[in-house]
Amino acid sequence: MQTIDNRKKNATVLWYQKPAQNWNEALPIGNGRIGGMVFGGIRSEQIQVNEESVWYGGQMQRNNPSTKEKLPQIQALIKEGKIHQAERLCKQALGGTPQGMRIYQTLGDISIDYDFGAMFTEDRVTDYERGLDVEQAVAYTYFQFDETKYKREIFMSAPDNVCVIHLTASGKNKLNLDILQTRHHIYDYAGRYADAEDSIVLGGNLGRDGLDYAMMCKASVPQGTVTIIGETITIENASEVYLYWSAATTYRYKAEAENAVDMLGKVLHKRLAYAASQEYNRLKQKHILDYRLYYDRVLLQLGKEKTCAPEAQPIPTDKRLQNIVHGETDLDLEQLYFNFGRYLLISCSRPNTLPATLQGIWNKDIEAPWDAKFTININTEMNYWPAEICDLGECHLPLFDLLKKMLPNGKKTAQVMYGCRGFVAHHNTDIWGDTAPQELWIPGSFWVMGGAWLCTHIWTHYEYTGDTEFLKEMFPIMREAALFFLDFCIEYTIDGRTYLCTCPSVSPENTFILPNGEQGANSIGVTMDNQILRDLFTQCNKAAKILGIEDELDRQIQDACKRLIPTRIGTDGRILEWCEEYGEKEPGHRHISHLYGLHPSCQITKDGTPELAAAAERTLQKRLEGGGGHTGWSRAWIINHYAKLWDGEQAHQNLLQLFIQSTLPNLFDNHPPFQIDGNFGSVAAMVEMLVQSDENRIVILPALPKAWDSGNIKGVRVRGNARMNLEWSGGKLLKAEICSGCDTNRTFVYNGNQKELVLKKGEWISVW
């Protein structure tokens, strides 16, 4: 039954020899807007489906007006060291009203039930295989029963905005199927669409003041019969079946009629009819070509090119993961993981879609872990770490669209809650761009840096693309974020010097211990805040210069940047996490926020700030000794940190630990539970191990591990609007070439040597 070349299968295909037993074994498909998890069942195929805008409830105003009155009192208590009293008042005065934002929900399921006859038993099924080809973005299932070969192909087409399912039976038997859509019994209507004999629709409302939604499935058979019985499409005596499915909400399609589900039904019926009017192979090729416009930009090869014979038998993905646990080396699996991570980003974050949530676009729950929101104190940011370096800058754009939506809300939050100008957001946001605090969680809720951190992504996108028009469009948001902190920050004296500091200020989700044994989380001028603000302020000044803007606000931002607390080293040789040298409640805490300056920022570098780099290394060691890296995304951050410290062996060892401890059978990252940021953070780290860039220089093979003795990477992007190809063997660079998007001079560093080159726009130049 196998039709995929075994020579490429190891590095581009996730595949298994039994159906998924649970969601964590199912395989993800998506086009940025709709997604599905394919289980590959034999008697019944389940596809759990999502649509990007299926969020419960409508927009809310949750700003707490008590904040403005009580903030000076909270700040005074923190200054006096009365942390308990301050945090009690924080819960009363700083929390959102109501406490929680809106939540992302599952859409439902598509079930395809096969009737194999009364004598069917699964032990008579042979040659079973299911998989996901990440080079083609197509999921498949093959098996044989009763002298008949059954095949399924499933993909989510971005050009046509539909899920396409192709079912065949070759041999003795025909296809007899029942197709049903469900949404956990939460819907207003389900059944035949209008007078159509081949389509079913399910739709309803998403809660109080919420959106309306609908999903529709259409069937087509060259031979055989299609009928609708109740809510079910029934197919009899077919050798081939084509199913077309899609979903929509009133988030993008505004209801003109009173019945929004009817309106959405018309949208979907037209969409599915157009897809069905096209020949299947054309639909599939259109989908693959569109997908590969993104996927083919970067190619990573680890180890020497394989020359194994086509008949050599590859190993199923789940068994390969187990082999890693037992100490085997599998560079092809590492390569597959890299390719899968890029596949996920392309599949859940496309231009004109919503950004990737905590679970990308794939969520099975009505009430998901952490509401499957946009958590912006590390997780959403990490989702986009691979975007620019893997030449997927367009996949980054939904994050900037969300920032635009957050801006008016964040300005209102700044004014109503804090009496400040500018724009602020806390540690979560949702489909509506909510900026008020989420919940009453002392270690996390009252963090004011979410909008500021997101704004640093604007500068990152500009650095990699050189897109001045984009920078001009987004610059006002950067300035509004900076303006908030000019008003919000207070003066605080440390060792005789007065600084501008955030207050209250938390190191996200972590807790300190005061000398008297009291525990707390809210402080003044926490290290991460200063590092984020240093980036934001500096980037605002650089952007203003590029755009020819010189005004009083620009000068104020420049002055404020000079007054931030510098990153400092404690008496134990580690980076200070808080403004004082407090004890840690959790020495192995999952957040490593005080190393923001090492990654994703470039404030700490191995050769530029060696003392801080050494302190960062000791910080990582202590975290790991305390049990750190126990969540997948935290381990991904650690891999990036070691890459930035030019320690390839530690970076690679932590990548293997990610596979062993925090990777599910379908290669999804495991927090636990599933959380997609670890997938994305690890892909970024793998590139950082091979090439790093800042505005001053490009470092080649800075953290190459011995396991990656030979290999090449093509098309990877670096800052300064350029892309590079690298090749190495025996642990040594063989070739490095660069193509710049502009005329410029660049500095290159390799193995302690430095070289200056003049680059011409559009010309490939050999670097080494």
Side-chain angles (χ1 to χ4, degrees):
M1 298 294 292
Q2 180 54 247
T3 62
I4 297 175
D5 184 349
N6 287 335
R7 286 174 296 189
K8 76 154 194 168
K9 190 170 183 179
N10 283 333
T12 61
V13 181
L14 290 75
W15 70 280
Y16 308 83
Q17 293 178 311
K18 62 180 181 180
Q21 302 301 301
N22 56 60
W23 195 87
N24 291 330
E25 296 180 2
L27 295 171
I29 55 175
N31 67 2
R33 185 160 291 155
I34 52 177
M37 295 292 288
V38 182
F39 282 67
I42 297 172
R43 294 188 75 164
S44 180
E45 173 64 279
Q46 176 188 356
I47 308 170
Q48 182 268 315
V49 288
N50 291 101
E51 199 276 347
E52 61 168 357
S53 55
V54 176
W55 289 66
Y56 175 83
Q59 189 166 7
M60 297 185 289
Q61 293 297 326
R62 302 188 308 108
N63 297 313
N64 189 338
S66 298
T67 304
K68 193 187 304 185
E69 176 190 351
K70 297 297 182 182
L71 182 61
Q73 186 179 346
I74 291 168
Q75 292 171 332
L77 288 169
I78 292 174
K79 275 187 172 183
E80 295 167 11
K82 299 177 180 178
I83 305 301
H84 177 74
Q85 295 95 314
E87 291 183 340
R88 183 184 178 201
L89 191 53
C90 282
K91 290 180 72 172
Q92 296 166 351
L94 299 190
T97 52
Q99 298 174 19
M101 296 179 181
R102 298 310 194 185
I103 64 175
Y104 181 53
Q105 296 185 324
T106 182
L107 178 57
D109 293 277
I110 306 168
S111 299
I112 306 171
D113 295 333
Y114 286 66
D115 182 359
F116 294 111
M119 302 304 292
F120 173 82
T121 57
E122 289 201 2
D123 58 6
R124 294 168 57 194
V125 172
T126 60
D127 297 329
Y128 178 88
E129 182 176 317
R130 67 183 175 96
L132 172 65
D133 184 340
V134 299
E135 191 173 66
Q136 307 287 323
V138 176
Y140 66 87
T141 303
Y142 308 133
F143 58 89
Q144 184 164 326
F145 169 71
D146 196 21
E147 302 178 43
T148 304
K149 295 179 179 179
Y150 294 89
K151 178 181 176 182
R152 294 182 210 128
E153 284 189 336
I154 307 175
F155 58 88
M156 290 283 187
S157 167
D160 291 286
N161 201 15
V162 296
C163 176
V164 182
I165 305 169
H166 184 210
L167 313 172
T168 59
S170 304
K172 176 182 174 181
N173 298 324
K174 301 293 186 181
L175 290 168
N176 298 297
L177 308 169
D178 294 325
I179 298 103
L180 180 67
Q181 300 180 123
T182 57
R183 190 175 193 260
H184 302 281
H185 308 292
I186 304 172
Y187 49 85
D188 299 330
Y189 176 80
R192 175 185 299 170
Y193 175 69
D195 296 322
E197 296 295 330
D198 60 1
S199 302
I200 52 174
V201 63
L202 183 152
N205 181 261
L206 296 172
R208 185 175 180 180
D209 301 321
L211 301 167
D212 291 290
Y213 74 92
M215 56 177 166
M216 183 179 292
C217 186
K218 176 183 178 67
S220 174
V221 296
Q223 295 178 327
T225 62
V226 178
T227 56
I228 307 292
I229 303 175
E231 302 175 22
T232 304
I233 299 176
T234 297
I235 295 172
E236 301 285 352
N237 297 315
S239 297
E240 194 170 18
V241 176
Y242 300 98
L243 301 177
Y244 308 92
W245 177 89
S246 194
T249 76
T250 46
Y251 180 75
R252 296 196 185 277
Y253 299 93
K254 303 304 180 185
E256 297 177 0
E258 184 175 335
N259 192 329
V261 174
D262 282 350
M263 180 273 296
L264 292 172
K266 292 175 183 177
V267 169
L268 295 176
H269 184 257
K270 182 178 179 181
R271 184 185 300 171
L272 298 185
Y274 178 69
S277 71
Q278 302 176 63
E279 196 266 331
Y280 172 74
N281 285 332
R282 171 175 165 73
L283 269 177
K284 182 179 174 183
Q285 283 306 115
K286 199 168 33 162
H287 154 72
I288 292 172
L289 287 172
D290 171 81
Y291 167 77
R292 294 191 69 164
L293 285 174
Y294 296 91
Y295 179 85
D296 286 347
R297 294 174 185 174
V298 170
L299 172 67
L300 174 66
Q301 172 72 47
L302 295 177
K304 295 181 179 179
E305 193 76 31
K306 302 299 185 296
T307 57
C308 61
E311 63 272 11
Q313 291 302 308
I315 302 171
T317 304
D318 50 350
K319 293 181 180 178
R320 293 169 70 188
L321 272 175
Q322 287 301 311
N323 290 342
I324 295 290
V325 173
H326 295 120
E328 291 193 18
T329 300
D330 189 341
L331 296 185
D332 280 346
L333 181 62
E334 296 179 38
Q335 197 172 311
L336 174 61
Y337 189 83
F338 177 81
N339 291 330
F340 179 62
R342 293 187 301 123
Y343 164 84
L344 291 176
L345 186 56
I346 298 166
S347 300
C348 74
S349 185
R350 292 279 197 105
N352 301 312
T353 70
L354 290 168
T357 72
L358 280 172
Q359 298 184 335
I361 200 173
W362 301 280
N363 165 38
K364 64 181 174 62
D365 299 308
I366 292 291
E367 296 184 13
W370 304 287
D371 302 334
K373 291 194 297 293
F374 307 113
T375 300
I376 56 176
N377 68 0
I378 175 62
N379 313 100
T380 299
E381 290 87 352
M382 185 180 286
N383 282 353
Y384 290 95
W385 286 357
E388 303 298 338
I389 55 181
C390 289
D391 202 3
L392 297 174
E394 299 98 320
C395 296
H396 210 167
L397 297 180
L399 187 64
F400 305 125
D401 292 337
L402 180 63
L403 255 177
K404 294 174 191 175
K405 192 185 304 179
M406 293 168 65
L407 178 63
N409 299 330
K411 291 176 73 172
K412 190 165 187 178
T413 298
Q415 193 277 321
V416 172
M417 290 188 61
Y418 299 106
C420 295
R421 299 169 297 168
F423 151 66
V424 67
H426 296 80
H427 87 299
N428 272 277
T429 187
D430 63 11
I431 188 175
W432 307 112
D434 196 327
T435 53
Q438 163 72 16
E439 299 175 339
L440 302 177
W441 187 35
I442 289 296
S445 294
F446 313 124
W447 185 72
V448 293
M449 306 304 299
W453 192 349
L454 288 181
C455 282
T456 68
H457 281 245
I458 297 170
W459 182 252
T460 298
H461 184 71
Y462 169 75
E463 282 190 298
Y464 278 92
T465 64
D467 188 342
T468 307
E469 287 303 311
F470 165 82
L471 184 63
K472 184 178 180 180
E473 179 189 7
M474 299 299 295
F475 178 63
I477 303 180
M478 297 172 67
R479 291 253 281 192
E480 291 290 342
L483 180 59
F484 170 80
F485 291 98
L486 296 185
D487 287 359
F488 177 78
C489 286
I490 63 171
E491 290 189 339
Y492 186 65
T493 301
I494 302 175
D495 298 330
R497 182 173 176 181
T498 301
Y499 297 96
L500 280 181
C501 299
T502 50
C503 182
S505 171
V506 299
S507 192
E509 305 186 22
N510 207 356
T511 302
F512 55 76
I513 302 175
L514 296 172
N516 64 4
E518 182 182 337
Q519 296 180 9
N522 287 264
S523 181
I524 300 175
V526 163
T527 296
M528 186 192 216
D529 289 9
N530 303 319
Q531 293 174 343
I532 291 175
L533 288 181
R534 189 169 292 109
D535 270 355
L536 175 64
F537 290 166
T538 301
Q539 291 162 11
C540 278
N541 290 142
K542 289 177 180 177
K545 185 175 182 180
I546 290 166
L547 298 173
I549 297 170
E550 186 177 352
D551 56 17
E552 181 59 28
L553 179 55
D554 184 52
R555 288 186 285 273
Q556 290 175 6
I557 293 170
Q558 192 172 20
D559 178 65
C561 190
K562 297 174 183 176
R563 300 180 64 197
L564 297 171
I565 302 173
T567 300
R568 297 175 297 152
I569 301 172
T571 58
D572 59 1
R574 292 184 289 155
I575 300 291
L576 280 181
E577 186 163 2
W578 294 278
C579 66
E580 306 290 345
E581 197 161 357
Y582 299 138
E584 298 171 279
K585 181 183 178 182
E586 298 178 60
H589 197 270
R590 60 195 174 276
H591 283 258
I592 317 171
S593 303
H594 46 319
L595 296 192
Y596 166 95
L598 178 64
H599 189 84
S601 183
C602 299
Q603 295 175 36
I604 301 173
T605 62
K606 181 72 172 177
D607 54 348
T609 58
E611 290 185 1
L612 288 175
E617 185 172 5
R618 283 189 283 272
T619 302
L620 284 174
Q621 291 170 351
K622 190 69 173 179
R623 273 289 200 267
L624 288 168
E625 288 171 5
H630 51 282
T631 69
W633 66 264
S634 178
R635 182 73 68 176
W637 203 355
I638 289 167
I639 303 167
N640 279 280
H641 285 319
Y642 275 118
K644 285 290 192 70
L645 291 170
W646 299 355
D647 190 337
E649 298 313 310
Q650 280 294 334
H652 188 253
Q653 182 60 35
N654 278 279
L655 179 63
L656 295 181
Q657 287 303 309
L658 182 90
F659 292 155
I660 293 168
Q661 298 182 16
S662 302
T663 301
L664 295 164
N666 60 3
L667 297 191
F668 267 165
D669 172 69
N670 197 16
H671 181 284
F674 160 60
Q675 206 169 280
I676 206 166
D677 38 23
N679 288 100
F680 295 138
S682 302
V683 167
M686 293 175 77
V687 178
E688 296 282 0
M689 292 163 70
L690 299 174
V691 62
Q692 295 172 15
S693 63
D694 56 34
E695 64 179 1
N696 298 314
R697 49 51 179 306
I698 297 168
V699 186
I700 299 170
L701 302 184
L704 185 69
K706 292 177 182 177
W708 296 359
D709 178 72
S710 302
N712 64 76
I713 189 166
K714 297 177 181 178
V716 65
R717 290 193 69 89
V718 291
R719 286 177 171 87
N721 185 20
R723 54 173 50 84
M724 293 192 72
N725 299 332
L726 304 176
E727 184 178 352
W728 64 94
S729 182
K732 296 182 179 180
L733 183 67
L734 292 180
K735 181 173 67 175
E737 52 187 13
I738 189 168
C739 181
S740 177
C742 58
D743 293 344
T744 186
N745 297 341
R746 295 305 302 266
T747 300
F748 298 86
V749 176
Y750 169 64
N751 198 25
N753 299 310
Q754 186 168 303
K755 183 182 290 189
E756 302 272 346
L757 288 177
V758 177
L759 307 182
K760 296 295 183 182
K761 180 179 179 180
E763 294 182 9
W764 280 99
I765 296 175
S766 178
V767 177
W768 241 281

